[in-house]
Amino acid sequence: MEITGEVKFSNDSAPDALPENSYLTVKFEDVSLMDAPSVKLGESVVDVTKIYKKGQPLLYSIKCPKPSPIHVDYSVSAVLNVGWEADGNSWIRKGDYLNDTRHHVQMEEGKNFYRVDIEVIKY
């Protein structure tokens, strides 16, 4: 399956430019289990330094196997690290961008292409 969409900046908060090594990470996760961590099903990590242009769409694409229909709550999330790449020790810093609302993905039988736009705010 494939999930694509646009990362949009809220309230005209889009940066004029991005410094080198600015990474956009978009995750597709199963968030259906209560009181348990989400399960990552797919991910896209892209250095967007050279492709970012203010006012132009910042697009993403995740290709992964379609999840089991047992669970019903799937979502996508995005983090734009400005001038650095997240690692196992840290995932966000002041000045980065992230989504602060859930962006639900409704799985449908026989459907393998989904479009979900994600709105991010400055952290």
Side-chain angles (χ1 to χ4, degrees):
M1 68 172 273
E2 183 175 11
I3 303 169
T4 63
E6 181 179 339
V7 176
K8 299 179 178 188
F9 296 89
S10 68
N11 303 325
D12 296 324
S13 66
D16 291 330
L18 292 173
E20 285 190 34
N21 299 315
S22 293
Y23 285 84
L24 174 65
T25 302
V26 181
K27 294 179 184 178
F28 171 53
E29 298 174 303
D30 180 341
V31 294
S32 61
L33 300 175
M34 298 299 249
D35 300 324
S38 60
V39 176
K40 183 172 64 173
L41 303 170
E43 179 178 50
S44 171
V45 180
V46 178
D47 182 344
V48 294
T49 307
K50 293 183 177 23
I51 60 173
Y52 175 79
K53 294 194 180 7
K54 185 173 184 176
Q56 298 294 315
L58 186 54
L59 304 175
Y60 76 90
S61 175
I62 297 173
K63 293 182 180 177
C64 63
K66 192 166 185 176
S68 167
I70 295 171
H71 299 131
V72 295
D73 204 359
Y74 302 99
S75 71
V76 289
S77 61
V79 174
L80 174 58
N81 300 119
V82 179
W84 70 288
E85 183 176 7
D87 57 31
N89 296 321
S90 58
W91 65 277
I92 195 159
R93 296 178 183 165
K94 188 167 178 61
D96 291 345
Y97 294 83
L98 77 159
N99 62 289
D100 66 342
T101 59
R102 179 178 278 180
H103 292 80
H104 184 71
V105 181
Q106 178 66 47
M107 294 286 110
E108 295 178 33
E109 189 71 35
K111 184 175 178 181
N112 291 312
F113 182 80
Y114 299 87
R115 177 167 172 107
V116 181
D117 293 337
I118 304 170
E119 186 171 323
V120 294
I121 61 167
K122 193 167 187 176
Y123 179 72

